[in-house]
Structure formats: C-alpha cells, structure tokens
Amino acid sequence: MLEIKGLRARAGEKEILRGIDLTVNAGEIHAVMGPNGSGKSTLAQVLAGHPAYEVTGGEVQYDGNDLLDMDPEVRAQAGIFLAFQYPVEIPGISNAYFLRAAYNEIRKARGHEEVDSMDFLDLLEEKLRLVEWGPEIMSRAVNSGFSGGEKKRNEILQMAVLEPRLAILDETDSGLDIDALRIVASGVNALRRPDNATIIVTHYQRLLNYIVPDRVHVLSAGRIVKSGGKELALELEAKGYEWLEQEVGAAS
Amino acid sequence: MSSSVEALVNKEYKYGFVTDIEADSAPMGLNEDIIRLISSKKGEPGWLLDWRLKAFRGWLKMTEPHNWPNISYTPVDYQALRYYSAPRTAKPLGSLDEVDPKLLETYQKLGIPLTEQKLLAGVAVDAIFDSVSVGTTYKAKLAEAGVIFCSFGEAVREHPDLVRKYLGSVVPASDNFFAALNAAVFSDGSFVFVPRGVKCPMELSTYFRINAADTGQFERTLIIAEEGASVSYLEGCTAPKRDQNQLHAAVVELVALDDASIKYSTVQNWYAGDEEGKGGIYNFVTKRGKCVGVNSKISWTQVETGSAITWKYPSVILQGDNSVGEFYSVAVVNGRQQADTGTKMIHLGKNTRSTIVSKGISAGRGQNSYRGLVKVLPKAASARNYTQCDSMLIGNRCGAHTFPYIDVQNSTASVEHEASTSKIGEDQIFYLKQRGLNTENAISMIVNGFCKEVFKELPMEFAVEAQKLLGVSLEGSVG
Ligand SMILES: Nc1ncnc2c1ncn2[C@@H]1O[C@H](COP(=O)(O)OP(=O)(O)O)[C@@H](O)[C@H]1O
Ligand SMILES: [Mg+2]
C-alpha cells in the first residue's frame, strides 16, 4: 500500500529526514518510535503533504501512485488521514459542520453523493459511541477550548467518520490519561480491517499495550535505525533510547 | 505561505456586465442648473428644490475629508461626473408589469427576479437602476398591512408630509461633505414607513445597480418605524467592471419611535477594481439611525466585500431612554481595496446600551481600518457599551488598523473594548486540507467561522448569500 524509498526532507535549511525506507502493507499496523526531535512528526507531515517541508530526495508510492505528486486534499480524498500531534482550532465552525464538510468532500472526490445533515447525524451517532462521547461535542467549535485529551479524542472521532485507508497517528497517546488511552486504542482497533493500515507514531510504548503492532521502527536523527517485531517496543522501553543509539553507533 | 497567498487576488467578479440600454442623462458637471434639472425631472415640489439648493451652497464651502480616514485616492473631479442617468424606456418606470425586458433580464442575471411568478418568497424588493427605481415588488400586500414601501421619488409625490417631516432629521444636509453632496443631487432610493404597532409582514430589500459610465449614484433611503413598529430591511449592491472609478455617495436615515425596532442589513458588493487597483467604486456613505423613542432599537449589520474604497460609519444616536444600538460588521479587503469603516454610538438617554462587533479581513494588498466612536453624554446615566473588534490577515502584504475613540462624560457608564488580530495560519489551512477540503473551501470555512457572530445577525436567506460572497471575494487568496 505504502512504499517509502530513500525519503529525504528538510524545513528551511535544516535537513530532517535523511533517507527513510519503509513499506506498509494492507492490514498491518506499524509503530514508529524514537526520541524527541528524531523526525517522527516530520515523516507524518511529509506523508500528508505539509507545505513547510521540502522533499529533497527519494520517492513514496501509495497504491501504485506517486504520493509526493498529490495535493494534500487529494491525499486525504485518497484515504490518507493524519491524526495531528497538535490539532488545530477553527473558531466559529461547529464540529458537526466541519466533519460533515470533510466527509462530503471525500465522498464527492470518490464519485459518491453527498449526505444531508440528517443522514450524517445517524452515522455520527454510531461513531460517537466508539469514542464514548455524547452529541454535545458536535455543536462546539472545532477543537476551540478543547482540553489536550479532548483534541486527541476528536482526532479519533474524525478518523472513525472518515474511515481512512491509511491512518497516521502522531503521538495521539501523549498527554492522555488511562481512560482516554483506552478509548483511543479501542477506536483504532475497531477500525482495523484487512484493507487498511495504520502507522502509529509514538514516543512511549504504552499505547502498544493496547494496540499490537506488526512492525516497530525506531527513528533516530532522520533515519530508521532499527526495525523489528512488537518485542522491540518493550526492549526499547526497558533499555531506553540511549541503549539503541549506543548499539547503532557501535555497529556503524 | 506567501506564495500560496498570491493567488487570492484573481477573483472573478460575476456582476461586472453592462446592460446595453439607452439612457436619459444629465450633462456632465455640477451646478445649480443641474440640480434644478434633476428636481424637475422628478417633478418635485418647490420646498425640496430649495432644500437641495441650500445643501449645494453649503457643500461648495466644504472640503473633501482627505486627512483623517486611513485611505488614499486621487481626488474626485466633481465636474467630470453625470448626476442623473435613467434608462430610457418606452413605458413609464415604476410598474413592474411594464418594465423593459432588458431591465428585467439584468435583475434576473443578478439573481433578483422581479417578475411576479418568480418573486423571492417573503422578501419585497425595490430595484434601483442608476438614478431611478425600476419597480417595487409586493407593494399591494404591504399596503394591506399599512406599510409604505416605495421609491423615494414616489414617496415625495404620494407622501410629501412624511418625507418633509423626516428628511434630514437624522443626517442634516450640512452633516458632512458627502452627505451635503447627496442632499443636493440625490436621485432615488427607497422609502419605508411602518405605522404604529405594525410588524412589517416581510423582509424589505433594495437592490442598487450602477450601470451607466461616468455617473455617480446618490441614493437616499429613509426608514421610519412608528411607536411599537418593527421592520427588517436589506440592501444589496453591484456595478459593472469599469476602468474608471465611480462615485457612490448615499445617505440612509433611520428613525425609531417608542418601542420600535429597525434592523438594517447590507451586503455590499460594488465592483472593487482590478488587482492593480484600477477602477472600482468609491463608496462614501453616511448611514445613521436615531432611536428617538424610549425602548427603541436600531441594529446595523453590514457585510462589505466590494468597492475600491469604503468610507462609512453606520451609527446610532441613542436618544430615548433604554434604547439599544447595535453594529455588526464584516469588512473584507483584497487586491488593492481600502476600507475605513466602523460606527458611532452616541449615548444621550439613560440606560442606553450599544454593542459593536467588527470583523475585518485583509488579504492581497488590502488595507482595512476599523474606526469607531463611543460617546456617552452627561445625561446618559448607566449607559453601557461593549465593543469587540477582531482583525484577520491573510498573507503578508495587507494591513489591519484599529482606531477606537471613547468619550465618556458620565461616571455611571461602562464601556468595554476588546480587540484581537490574528493571521490565518498555514496550519489551519493544512488541517482542513488534510481532511479533504481544497484551499478555497478551507479559507472560506476559516473566515466564515471568524465572521460567525455577524452572520448570525443576517436574515436567513441572506446569511447564506453572504457566506458565498465571502468565498468569492477571497477566491484565490491562498493557492
Ligand atoms: N517546520 C519546521 N521548521 C524548522 N524545523 C523543524 C520544523 N519541523 C521540525 N523541525 C525540526 O526537525 C526536527 C525533528 O522534528 P519532529 O519531526 O517534530 O520530531 P519528533 O516528532 O520526532 O519529535 C527537530 O529538530 C525540529 O526542531
Ligand atoms: Mg512529534
């Protein structure tokens, strides 16, 4: 589904991604871990097409298409969803209006008819249950005055509604208490299907107690320095990132 | 960001067409003979001609306000304008059954159908084309309720006593340079009278269209709500695309007696000029309401997206005790547009309250200034004002400015002012794009959210229009 080869990217003068290789197949969950500043968010943003980052090398194939050639909204319409590390506030626009607009844009792009607000409410009800929210949240302005945890939960709600083919969750677990973490995890698990895939970007292995990844990759200074199965996350947790950096340093 | 901002300016103005219709126009220039000509074409009584001439003589002694507004433009050559232009039609204007098909087609294209079968439901329209009213819809139905809604010219003929009583009672002919000019040469406009105790059964609306070249438009609107009456009125405006600037100097007067309420909404979409600032309307307008009676209320809502230059301060004189004044404004500048707009709330009576919510959006190389005066006079015990003034910038080459003036002469008054400036963020746009919206829809959503408090004041039918219009005005602002 997703094939990243030798991906390099920079912001301004600073080179952040320095040759990333990563293949994600349908049905898989990948975890991308690594210390702060290693480039995890940059990878997520580059895959979503954020204009602040310039791709300086490599290629990304998504379902056989050149992902880097697609506008951000086209990527979204093609099923790529990024749960932001820092979700953005849109004052004055209700969550319901925003989410229906997004839902309909994506439907339109796929040649489906738009849904009206009544039908959308039915759909929403089911998705709200998934994140254990009442309908009140839908009349609040998008992320405006939301707590950190509410913002993250709202990202999962959006993901549930938009049903992406490839979801990228950027530190969706950070700053969550145990209950919120459980809700986020069960949301992700409920949406898991053989034809979609998820990349979970995280600093801690905590979330991986709830969502079992197929592969774990460790990012350091803009490169994937180690990949492995789910045990790698536990090993990292136990030994810390310094262990890995020493090991990688010794090997090279 | 800046690269993406560039594209905004290339918006298409879809009302820029010209109607090819023969016109009966006054010769160029301005002098007492021209004023006499206008007055005689309209068959006016002597007192009105005298009023015009007096205004003109006063105007000659005034100077154009060039210094205090935060706008710059080449001075208008008042002798190079025509002060009267009416479409020459075989049939007399005023009756919709006999309107020239070209005019009907024009309004159809503007989205304002005037033919009986297609009338906007629940909205009565007075259609003004250059200097004259083409016709007014739903007149009979309104008359049943006792409401007078007609062109100003007709009001002068049919209801001279009402016109004479209220004309200039809120905006005197000597008020300011443009108001004096308007008083001298005003051509047509709308007149509304809602008698005691009557709630006007439908929305009233006037659609102003400038068509002829080299012609100024000087309309005058007078709305009177008697004791306990209420009315909601909306004006819309468009003009063809032309390379020359055109002058629009209107005057609007509102009078609310005891317990009356007037809601006046504007969706202003005059041609704004091209992206280099060539052409466009100079919109120099004086709008003022007077809450004459106790418990009366006047509310202005404006969505200003057009014009090369906008200079207007819809104001309320809060004379009656417990009266309420409101001003809700969205002003958008793009390309090289300049706006200097705001309000004046003059508190005279006890317990008077005013609310000001101003949302300024600047894109391209536009310059947007909010200018507002809150004045509380010594007798206005317990007067209250709340002002909120927010600016949004799109791109790096535009400007937002705020000039609040506060003058409080009663110690029991309370005046609150909040202001903010924000920049539409790349991150906000990206967030929405990541959810599948294209750039234009993303900007339109962010801007609409920013303006929400104002849009919710507009009558339903027009709120939707206003949102669309905002989208069009900012089209291409970020690409
Ligand atoms: N837009 C940007 N402009 C400049 N530097 C950036 C930008 N985004 C990220 N960086 C820098 O790139 C490095 C990696 O950041 P990031 O991808 O956010 O790391 P992580 O998510 O792994 O903590 C950091 O040093 C950060 O400061
Ligand atoms: Mg990060």
Side-chain angles (χ1 to χ4, degrees):
Chain A
M1 173 189 287
L2 182 74
E3 213 175 337
I4 306 174
K5 281 192 199 144
L7 182 64
R8 294 175 163 270
R10 66 177 185 200
E13 289 305 296
K14 186 182 158 90
E15 178 154 66
I16 305 170
L17 299 183
R18 301 190 299 144
I20 303 264
D21 295 291
L22 178 65
T23 300
V24 178
N25 297 308
E28 293 179 347
I29 293 184
H30 288 237
V32 173
M33 304 184 69
N36 276 332
S38 56
K40 303 184 298 293
S41 290
T42 301
L43 176 61
Q45 299 273 351
V46 166
L47 291 177
H50 197 293
Y53 301 95
E54 186 194 345
V55 174
T56 52
E59 57 181 86
V60 182
Q61 294 275 319
Y62 172 68
D63 281 339
N65 298 313
D66 179 359
L67 182 74
L68 301 177
D69 200 36
M70 294 155 75
D71 283 332
E73 64 270 36
V74 176
R75 299 183 198 197
Q77 291 156 6
I80 291 187
F81 178 91
L82 171 61
F84 285 67
Q85 181 172 5
Y86 303 108
V88 176
E89 303 189 2
I90 315 286
I93 295 295
S94 76
N95 227 8
Y97 181 84
F98 159 67
L99 204 43
R100 186 162 72 90
Y103 185 72
N104 276 332
E105 286 297 335
I106 291 175
R107 281 183 68 87
K108 258 195 305 193
R110 296 178 186 171
H112 301 305
E113 260 182 43
E114 299 186 35
V115 298
D116 63 23
S117 41
M118 294 313 281
D119 288 344
F120 186 68
L121 277 182
D122 291 343
L123 174 112
L124 203 53
E125 214 171 298
E126 172 200 330
K127 304 297 183 181
L128 278 167
R129 263 199 301 277
L130 201 64
V131 293
E132 299 178 24
W133 249 345
E136 315 79 50
I137 198 78
M138 299 315 292
S139 48
R140 286 172 62 185
V142 183
N143 295 329
S144 267
F146 282 30
S147 71
E150 283 176 328
K151 285 182 182 171
K152 296 296 175 77
R153 225 204 275 193
N154 205 23
E155 295 291 288
I156 297 302
L157 173 66
Q158 292 174 38
M159 180 175 93
V161 170
L162 301 178
E163 296 190 329
R165 191 161 145 68
L166 174 64
I168 306 164
L169 276 56
D170 189 1
E171 307 250 9
T172 304
D173 54 334
S174 57
L176 295 188
D177 60 28
I178 281 294
D179 279 342
L181 194 70
R182 186 183 46 75
I183 289 168
V184 164
S186 62
V188 172
N189 286 328
L191 296 167
R192 189 167 186 178
R193 288 204 316 248
D195 62 341
N196 62 22
T198 307
I199 299 175
I200 294 173
V201 172
T202 182
H203 185 73
Y204 305 102
Q205 89 76 44
R206 207 166 61 130
L207 182 63
L208 305 180
N209 291 334
Y210 299 89
I211 308 171
V212 181
D214 297 292
R215 297 289 290 164
V216 175
H217 312 275
V218 183
L219 204 61
S220 172
R223 282 201 188 98
I224 290 180
V225 292
K226 200 171 173 76
S227 296
K230 58 179 190 286
E231 335 69 58
L232 180 56
L234 292 167
E235 200 173 351
L236 267 177
E237 179 89 341
K239 299 184 181 166
Y241 285 111
E242 302 77 28
W243 154 73
L244 193 82
E245 266 153 30
Q246 279 160 20
E247 192 175 74
V248 170
S252 60
Chain B
M1 178 77 192
S2 57
S3 66
S4 48
V5 175
E6 305 301 310
L8 186 139
V9 191
N10 308 319
K11 60 175 170 177
E12 223 11 81
Y13 182 71
K14 71 174 179 185
Y15 307 105
F17 62 90
V18 178
T19 305
D20 179 19
I21 195 160
E22 216 186 309
D24 169 20
S25 304
M28 287 246 181
L30 181 55
N31 52 53
E32 295 202 359
D33 287 342
I34 292 284
I35 292 167
R36 287 194 169 86
L37 177 76
I38 294 171
S39 191
S40 82
K41 279 201 181 291
K42 306 187 78 64
E44 286 175 357
W47 64 263
L48 192 49
L49 175 61
D50 292 342
W51 192 77
R52 287 175 179 276
L53 289 172
K54 190 167 166 231
F56 177 66
R57 287 165 200 150
W59 178 76
L60 287 173
K61 298 193 200 93
M62 294 174 159
T63 45
E64 197 168 336
H66 254 292
N67 304 321
W68 60 264
N70 193 21
I71 52 183
S72 64
Y73 61 99
T74 31
V76 179
D77 179 354
Y78 292 93
Q79 296 306 333
L81 285 181
R82 259 178 241 288
Y83 290 83
Y84 184 84
S85 176
R88 203 193 290 277
T89 52
K91 305 268 174 58
L93 289 166
S95 159
L96 283 169
D97 306 331
E98 308 181 13
V99 174
D100 189 305
K102 269 189 188 162
L103 290 175
L104 287 182
E105 195 191 320
T106 300
Y107 283 91
Q108 191 74 43
K109 261 166 104 174
L110 296 170
I112 315 286
L114 297 177
T115 37
E116 284 291 346
Q117 313 84 344
K118 293 183 187 143
L119 292 183
L120 295 174
V123 184
V125 180
D126 184 22
I128 311 256
F129 190 88
D130 289 332
S131 302
V132 289
S133 168
V134 169
T136 311
T137 66
Y138 288 120
K139 244 155 103 173
K141 185 164 180 211
L142 288 166
E144 276 170 35
V147 175
I148 303 170
F149 178 40
C150 62
S151 73
F152 207 96
E154 187 180 328
V156 170
R157 288 190 302 274
E158 308 287 329
H159 312 282
D161 296 343
L162 282 175
V163 174
R164 198 168 182 179
K165 179 168 175 192
Y166 291 106
L167 176 69
S169 69
V170 184
V171 180
S174 58
D175 191 78
N176 67 68
F177 184 84
F178 296 110
L181 178 64
N182 175 287
V185 302
F186 77 90
S187 35
D188 218 332
S190 298
F191 178 82
V192 177
F193 178 80
V194 187
R196 184 186 301 245
V198 172
K199 304 223 170 311
C200 186
M202 58 176 81
E203 297 278 342
L204 306 183
S205 128
T206 300
Y207 196 91
F208 295 103
R209 174 74 177 169
I210 295 181
N211 188 61
D214 310 316
T215 307
Q217 193 175 44
F218 306 93
E219 84 273 0
R220 204 163 173 111
T221 298
L222 177 54
I223 299 178
I224 300 136
E226 280 197 330
E227 291 83 352
S230 69
V231 60
S232 168
Y233 177 94
L234 183 124
E235 64 165 38
C237 1
T238 57
K241 276 179 165 175
R242 293 186 196 282
D243 287 348
Q244 287 80 34
N245 293 110
Q246 278 184 282
L247 177 63
H248 170 251
V251 170
V252 175
E253 297 181 277
L254 312 181
V255 179
L257 303 186
D258 290 354
D259 304 299
S261 98
I262 301 175
K263 184 175 176 62
Y264 192 107
S265 314
T266 304
V267 176
Q268 186 264 108
N269 188 22
W270 295 117
Y271 177 52
D274 70 9
E275 57 199 271
E276 294 308 319
K278 196 160 191 216
I281 303 290
Y282 289 169
N283 190 33
F284 299 151
V285 169
T286 306
K287 291 183 166 173
R288 195 175 302 151
K290 196 170 189 176
C291 285
V292 176
V294 297
N295 306 319
S296 56
K297 176 175 174 182
I298 288 178
S299 180
W300 298 100
T301 305
Q302 61 173 21
V303 177
E304 304 282 321
T305 64
S307 297
I309 300 176
T310 295
W311 177 103
K312 67 181 269 202
Y313 315 92
S315 303
V316 184
I317 299 170
L318 296 149
Q319 180 180 304
D321 291 348
N322 309 318
S323 59
V324 175
E326 295 174 339
F327 174 74
Y328 296 96
S329 170
V330 167
V332 184
V333 292
N334 193 359
R336 301 271 182 155
Q337 282 175 276
Q338 306 173 65
D340 194 297
T341 183
T343 183
K344 292 186 241 176
M345 293 290 174
I346 314 292
H347 293 256
L348 300 172
K350 287 195 273 296
N351 270 318
T352 45
R353 279 164 292 149
S354 62
T355 303
I356 300 171
V357 177
S358 161
K359 304 278 179 175
I361 298 154
S362 314
R365 298 184 183 211
Q367 293 294 329
N368 212 334
S369 300
Y370 166 80
R371 189 181 301 278
L373 168 68
V374 176
K375 187 167 185 159
V376 178
L377 283 115
K379 287 188 181 150
S382 305
R384 287 199 301 278
N385 162 267
Y386 171 74
T387 299
Q388 182 191 333
C389 182
D390 300 320
S391 308
M392 178 177 268
L393 300 166
I394 305 178
N396 302 318
R397 296 182 301 174
C398 53
H401 318 271
T402 309
F403 304 98
Y405 307 88
I406 296 169
D407 175 3
V408 178
Q409 302 172 21
N410 183 305
S411 60
T412 62
S414 95
V415 172
E416 227 182 301
H417 183 96
E418 284 178 25
S420 79
T421 300
S422 58
K423 220 174 145 161
I424 197 164
E426 188 170 61
D427 284 332
Q428 270 183 324
I429 294 170
F430 180 65
Y431 188 69
L432 296 181
K433 289 179 73 144
Q434 212 303 303
R435 295 301 184 252
L437 277 70
N438 66 24
T439 307
E440 258 148 35
N441 290 341
I443 291 184
S444 160
M445 187 178 279
I446 295 163
V447 169
N448 275 311
F450 176 71
C451 299
K452 184 179 168 208
E453 290 144 285
V454 175
F455 285 167
K456 74 175 178 14
E457 296 298 323
L458 285 173
M460 253 304 259
E461 305 86 323
F462 300 107
V464 178
E465 277 307 302
Q467 288 186 17
K468 279 197 222 139
L469 188 56
L470 213 65
V472 174
S473 307
L474 291 170
E475 215 156 80
S477 63
V478 176

